[in-house]
Amino acid sequence: MKRLSNGNLAAVTAGVATPGYDRNTLKPGILHLGLGAFHRAHQAVYTDTAIARSGGDWGIIGVSMRSDRVTQQLAPQDGLYSVLSENQNLRELRVIGCLQRVLAAPRSPAAVTGLLADPAIRVVTLTVTEKGYCLGEDGWTLARALPSVKQDLADPQLATTAIGVLARGLAQRYHSGGAPINVISCDNLGENSARLRAVLLQYMASAFAEAVDWVENEVAFPCSMVDRIVPATTEAGLQRQAALIGLQDAGAVATEPFCQWIIEDKLATDVPDWAAAGAQFVNDIRPYEEIKLRLLNASHSSIALAGLLAGKETVADVMADPTMAGEITELMSRELLPALTAPEGFDLFTYRDQLLERFSNPCLQHRCAQIATDSTEKIRQRWLGTLMAQAGDTLLLRSLARWCFWVLETDLPIDDPRAETLLALRAKPSPDSERLAAALACVGITPRQNGLDEHRLQCLREHIAGLQRAGHS
């Protein structure tokens, strides 16, 4: 079977949508840092639709921040890839054409810096995960103690973190004329671009102090809220998608029909006509962020931990179990939803019902283990605010107990920026109370800052003991 590329784009199976514009005349206007499956199924899809409907030079140059695996997948395909969106009732398959070039930052640092300085690039978007922002414990300061940050500050011209790479490029842009630019975080962080701006300015004050005033005045950091479930692609998924489009596609992604992007209307330059593609521009994004983080993402993490301990592989497997699905529904309805304030015209109950339907989508093989990655970062963002506002025993406290049990009492793998600390606690023969306190500190729960009272700590211990009695491993 031939591989998807410009040369054989016309050979895709009839009924598969292809780019509705001339790729050969498209010029780049967007640089994206963190070229994973989510970006390809979300921001790139919005941009592809916007170009088809309204035109403009908004081609995307994608940058992989760590390896060249994505480059190997997409470069031989001229940046083309397919997106399969489906649930029980709907299937849509399209080829995305707006990704023009793919770079690996470790292999092409000068090229990435040059693109960030190029005035033709008016938008930078990021999906580098929560840990990619090098945030300190308060979520707003640069974590200068991180070895990667120390290394970057020691030689900013060789920086490898997303913050360091972005700072180096913006400094070069300043020295090259200082054309305004928009920098938009698309990661699951409350006030995401505002946090990015805060740590970036702190970094630049140490590394590129001459450009700080320019960044403060000419670079816009509109926050955004993104929502689409995009599981990691499997080999079986690649084979299935190849059969559907009639060509091999090493960059294929599968997702759900639902897609949402809300962007703060605080821009320094023009942007693609994302509104024509369904994006929503608002003055205050914080209520939407809170709803998504504290309802969808919080529930997702609870589902993942329950599934891991019950031997369920995917979210849909958890939701197919009536008891587990009932607990998740109760968690959302009785604890998470009442803690939220909806913006005018936003129906929280309808959104909850949509989420339950989306979680139950059997077409999405969204693995619990994937959602559980980087859990110490996610719990801070998704659970902590609600958890600390509660009193007594709650279902969210039970979810926290599952996380503590998973970390301290099982041999299940841990993929987390604090994995070394967590694994050391798992192996440590110290008293359970000390291990539990140290684990809680890893998610920001400490007596000095966000402590649990003695009653809630006892409830937490009892839930952990119950898991031990149930024989989870």
Side-chain angles (χ1 to χ4, degrees):
M1 184 181 289
K2 293 182 179 179
R3 191 163 179 179
L4 178 64
S5 68
N6 275 336
N8 56 28
L9 182 57
V12 298
T13 301
V16 176
T18 54
Y21 51 87
D22 185 357
R23 290 193 85 217
N24 295 318
T25 62
L26 186 64
K27 296 177 182 178
I30 300 172
L31 186 72
H32 182 79
L33 304 182
L35 188 61
F38 183 81
H39 169 73
R40 304 203 301 274
H42 191 275
Q43 299 97 52
V45 172
Y46 276 95
T47 302
D48 198 70
T49 302
I51 297 169
R53 294 183 179 177
S54 304
D57 287 326
W58 293 111
I60 299 172
I61 298 179
V63 179
S64 172
M65 297 306 298
R66 288 177 290 185
S67 73
D68 61 355
R69 182 175 59 87
V70 178
T71 306
Q72 294 171 2
Q73 292 171 343
L74 292 171
Q77 301 181 181
D78 303 310
L80 292 168
Y81 63 93
S82 61
V83 175
L84 173 65
S85 311
E86 65 178 337
N87 60 18
Q88 302 94 317
N89 307 309
L90 177 70
R91 176 190 292 172
E92 179 188 79
L93 188 56
R94 62 188 286 189
V95 175
I96 302 299
C98 60
L99 183 62
Q100 295 186 282
R101 186 180 174 196
V102 182
L103 299 171
R107 290 180 176 271
S108 307
V112 175
T113 299
L115 287 163
L116 283 163
D118 187 346
I121 301 295
R122 287 96 79 202
V123 175
V124 176
T125 51
L126 299 90
T127 50
V128 295
T129 74
E130 294 93 331
K131 64 185 176 184
Y133 292 85
C134 304
L135 297 169
E137 292 296 314
D138 66 354
W140 289 93
T141 55
L142 179 67
R144 294 175 182 271
L146 285 175
S148 58
V149 175
K150 285 184 177 179
Q151 181 176 316
D152 280 10
L153 287 172
D155 193 344
Q157 295 300 333
L158 296 178
T160 59
T161 66
I163 301 300
V165 169
L166 183 57
R168 183 175 64 227
L170 289 178
Q172 183 62 47
R173 191 180 187 93
Y174 163 73
H175 287 293
S176 301
I181 192 170
N182 304 293
V183 179
I184 308 174
S185 170
C186 301
D187 281 298
N188 286 320
L189 286 166
E191 300 181 79
N192 49 16
S193 295
R195 294 176 190 269
L196 169 59
R197 181 181 187 272
V199 294
L200 182 68
L201 286 171
Q202 292 167 46
Y203 180 96
M204 295 190 75
S206 296
F208 304 104
E210 73 281 5
V212 167
D213 287 346
W214 172 77
V215 171
E216 289 183 322
N217 293 296
E218 299 296 331
V219 182
F221 292 85
C223 297
S224 81
M225 191 277 279
V226 297
D227 189 358
R228 196 172 209 186
I229 298 172
V230 186
T233 306
T234 64
E235 183 59 36
L238 290 176
Q239 293 177 7
R240 177 177 179 238
Q241 218 147 308
L244 289 172
I245 69 171
L247 295 166
Q248 287 186 350
D249 178 7
V253 291
T255 184
E256 60 176 340
F258 183 92
C259 197
Q260 186 179 44
W261 194 7
I262 302 177
I263 307 167
E264 203 170 29
D265 196 4
K266 299 177 181 177
L267 302 167
T269 71
D270 58 331
V271 297
D273 192 2
W274 287 322
Q280 182 180 356
F281 288 84
V282 301
N283 291 324
D284 186 0
I285 201 167
R286 289 173 296 180
Y288 300 93
E289 289 176 334
E290 285 290 288
I291 291 168
K292 200 257 181 162
L293 284 167
R294 295 197 185 191
L295 196 57
L296 187 157
N297 296 126
S299 302
H300 240 173
S301 290
S302 292
I303 290 170
L305 290 164
L308 281 174
L309 296 184
K312 307 283 188 183
E313 185 174 359
T314 70
V315 171
D317 291 339
V318 173
M319 298 305 290
D321 183 302
T323 301
M324 299 178 79
E327 180 181 321
I328 294 300
T329 302
E330 186 177 1
L331 170 68
M332 295 171 73
S333 302
R334 292 181 52 188
E335 297 183 15
L336 302 180
L337 191 148
L340 297 169
T341 300
E344 185 177 354
F346 193 103
D347 189 328
L348 283 170
F349 295 95
T350 299
Y351 184 61
R352 175 204 59 192
D353 293 344
Q354 289 175 331
L355 290 177
L356 290 168
E357 182 178 354
R358 292 166 63 195
F359 292 159
S360 301
N361 182 355
C363 301
L364 284 179
Q365 295 298 302
H366 202 183
R367 297 173 56 247
C368 293
Q370 180 189 352
I371 301 167
T373 60
D374 300 342
S375 59
T376 58
E377 294 291 330
K378 291 175 178 177
I379 287 173
R380 292 165 187 262
Q381 295 293 325
R382 302 176 179 190
W383 290 357
L384 208 54
T386 304
L387 192 66
M388 291 302 107
Q390 293 175 331
D393 194 7
T394 62
L395 290 171
L396 194 55
L397 193 69
R398 187 178 302 176
S399 292
L400 180 62
R402 289 189 177 113
W403 179 81
C404 294
F405 180 81
W406 169 53
V407 166
L408 298 175
E409 305 297 339
T410 78
D411 58 1
L412 295 171
I414 297 175
D415 184 354
D416 191 278
R418 298 173 178 83
E420 184 177 350
T421 299
L422 298 176
L423 290 171
L425 287 174
R426 178 183 283 181
K428 199 171 183 180
S430 55
D432 286 347
S433 59
E434 292 181 12
R435 295 167 71 232
L436 178 59
L440 291 175
C442 289
V443 294
I445 300 175
T446 65
R448 185 169 55 87
Q449 293 177 321
N450 298 303
L452 299 173
D453 61 35
E454 187 54 41
H455 172 65
R456 301 193 78 200
L457 272 174
Q458 183 56 33
C459 291
L460 187 68
R461 296 186 194 102
E462 290 174 0
H463 288 312
I464 294 171
L467 292 166
Q468 292 172 322
R469 290 192 296 273
H472 290 290
S473 61

